[in-house]
Amino acid sequence: MFGRSALFATASAGLLSISAAQSATNGSVITTDSPFYGQSPPTYPAPEVRRDGLFAESVAKARALVATMTLEEKVNLTGGVTNPGNGCGGNIPAVPSIGFPGMCLQDGPAGVRGTDFVSGFAAGIHTGASWNRTLAYSRANAMGGEAYRKGVSVALGPPVVGPLGRIAEGGRNWEGFSNDPYLSGALAAESVHGIQDAGVIACTKHFIANEQETNRIATRDGNKTYQSSSTNMDDKTLYLWPFADTVHAGTGSVMCSYERFNNSYVCQNSKLINGVLKTELGFEGFVVTDWFAQHSGVASSLAGLDMTMPSGATYWAGNLTQAVRNGSVPEARIDDQATRILAAWYELGLDSDSSPGVGVGMAPDLLAPHTIVDARDAADAEVILGEAIEGHVLVKNVNNALPLKEPRAIALYGYDAKAPDYNAPSPGLSPWSISLQSTDATSPICGFYGLVASACPPFPINAPNGSIWVGGGSGGNTPTYFYSPFQAFSERAFQDGTQLLWDFENVNATSTVYGNTEACFVFINAMASEGIDRSGLHDDFSDSLVNNIADQCSNTTVVVHNAGIALVDAYYDHPNVTAIILAQLPGQDSGRALVDIVYGEISPSGKLTYTVAKNESDYGAILSPYRPSAQDAIYPQDDFSEGVYIDYRAFDAQNIEPRFEFGFGLTYTNFTYSNLRISANSSATLSQYPTDGIIPGGHADLWDVVYNVYADVKNTGEAIAAEIAQLYLGLPGDGQPIRQLRGFDKQWLNVGETVTMGFPLRRRDLSTWSVEAQQWELAPGGTYKVYVGASSRNLPLTGSFTLGKSGNGTAGGYWK
Ligand code: BGC
């Protein structure tokens, strides 16, 4: 069995095993979902928000207000309406009688999307690669500030912690930080704090196991309806870990996802919402649907759903009022829905008179003249550039090809060096509004509308019409400007008097290289979007472009802007490819950040948050999304049978050598590791299972630090640079992954400097989910292996500790 400790988790009555889904169908074509009933156990009633919790004061205010409201008014708070007065993606109507001005919900995870005078922040994948908690906080705080000034009440991400990145070709993996749950959760928690400290409700999405775009929404073909894919898993695999981090951080809302889970739509899945989220994790905020992800009225309300978007009219509104009047839904449930929504609103101070008006800066029609609300703050410029820099990952650098050494002549190649040809809004779901200017948006848009997959053309692997700084879809952004690599190199050439040559036109990749060129840069990309999964992790056109230039240029640096995993093996061994940068998705300051790095103004400091394989096939069955057969076409059954063995856990378990392992990244200096210290926290007492009550995020004692690990890291090279030291644990017990990330620390080091990196280990970091006990469990007498180093496969320091077996005492000694 798999350790839920690694990724994931769940509560009381366990979820059924996957085999139940398979055997229920008996091999015949599935035309009804009745054989699956009960696979997601009914969990009722919906828990009322607690009055003595994290949001206690706000809950008290909300309850007092709700007590004054009519049933209709309360129901109105629970469903979206169209508001012609603003351009918000979702609106909750005002309730004038109680002085509630309404709410604006707007994407997204990399900045306020689809409007003007906002910044284009680096995408999640890029921020993840910085492994920088402070930066993750500052980025989210800056983003929250922009949302606040635009009158956005609920920022729909960050954080995105689902998809986590199970499927290597997943269309939306780039929206989140990493496919490792520990790293994802750590940066997601910072993001919640960052957004909410700016006075905006964070919406953590997409709950839960929303791991692919293919069949994410129900589709109609003539008179046939194909249901969303059902993500089937046992109760150890549940992708919960990073959600727990965000609940612990106090996220005001959580978005339930499109797909079915163990054959029950997530937004009406009582086990997941009432059971896991609101009971096991003690979530005190409200649950909102993904757009059009509601599939029932009474059932979804009883299952714990609090708000539906973008419209209440389909299932709730008058229907919900009627459901209360005829006794199908207790009014107390509506009270709790309204209380949770208003409590989050109070908690973030959105009731304040000084709050900007709801949606005030979200012009409904950008093509018509409108009042400018400039949401940007000049003070955020450093954060925006800083995150852009820190997410670049240098993965090859032969003989210190980089940084450049005052080159006289540089040549640039490739379709990804220059800005796309337009940055101009057009109405509706346009390529501009979802950051798809550099490619053909047909297939993602087709996916948005839920057309059958066969009607949507495959999505091109690269975006050939210009550089990409973010992926496509609701996670995209619409910056005021885009600083392309070409522009940044041009400015540097102006400054230094460099001869700059370029050829972005030669689409057959047979460009010829100017004789005195000292360094060639080839820009390619790997695009991904919401709405459709990727159709590969490399493309032949880009690879041959690189090889053709490298054949002619002895010092070729490849820059890949990648919205997900990008393979490099087609050119990795080319002797003239002297450097490769996985430049990911840096946001609006892309070119500036890159030029600062390649000219050595700052050392690269990013590391990979996923595994780059040598071949696509190394990812095995979870390379590509699940595509149903004729048997399960109507009720697709996507079994997560690999358990927690995704990415490096799978590569480690199967002993597959990656091209670049999880956690890998180079810089302009070298580091050595020494002096591993492991100490038990003498004030932490332990028992096999947690004993404290539930706080947001789970049992309070799961969050206690029980061990501390330290290691010394020395900068032995010749450049100031940052190191990201990583701690992995080998947990005791059968069936555990060989290693799992359980700590990281990033610090900048001067030449010759030694610093101590610290890794606090919480009880949850040492625990695995026990199916029998339905609890997080420590291993009495178990030996925990400790590995510290520079990546998941470069771990020079090893040690271990053993938990005590009995008695009362400390972590290293005894048990309660
Ligand atoms: C996406 C969400 C997004 C919503 C509103 C949906 O298609 O899945 O992530 O927040 O649209 O734009």
Side-chain angles (χ1 to χ4, degrees), residues 89-90 106-109 113 156-157 160 172 175 205-206 210 213 216 255 258 289-291 448 474-475 530:
Q106 182 65 18
D107 295 315
R113 182 183 62 81
L156 305 171
V160 177
R172 300 187 78 174
E175 291 185 39
K205 62 189 191 181
H206 306 83
N210 186 184
E213 293 305 278
R216 71 172 184 162
M255 183 186 286
Y258 283 122
T289 62
D290 200 340
W291 267 229
F448 266 98
S474 63
E530 177 182 350

Side-chain angles (χ1 to χ4, degrees), residues 342-419:
L342 289 175
W345 179 74
Y346 276 126
E347 185 67 22
L348 273 299
L350 290 165
D351 59 319
S352 154
D353 289 343
S354 58
S355 277
V358 173
V360 68
M362 299 295 302
D365 177 3
L366 292 171
L367 299 185
H370 53 276
T371 309
I372 289 176
V373 176
D374 192 338
R376 297 165 303 161
D377 180 344
D380 295 334
E382 205 183 314
V383 170
I384 295 173
L385 178 61
E387 58 162 8
I389 290 170
E390 291 201 28
H392 282 77
V393 188
L394 177 66
V395 289
K396 181 177 182 187
N397 192 19
V398 179
N399 295 332
N400 299 323
L402 295 178
L404 296 171
K405 292 152 197 83
E406 299 178 14
R408 295 296 313 281
I410 288 185
L412 311 179
Y413 301 93
Y415 55 86
D416 179 80
K418 63 177 183 59

Side-chain angles (χ1 to χ4, degrees), residues 80-83 86-92 103-108 112-115 151-152 154 156 289-292 308-311 359 362-364 474:
V81 289
T82 311
N83 183 345
N86 69 41
C88 301
N91 274 285
I92 290 295
M103 284 166 118
C104 160
L105 292 83
Q106 182 65 18
D107 295 315
V112 186
R113 182 183 62 81
T115 191
V152 173
V154 182
L156 305 171
T289 62
D290 200 340
W291 267 229
F292 306 102
T308 181
M309 278 290 156
S311 168
M362 299 295 302
S474 63

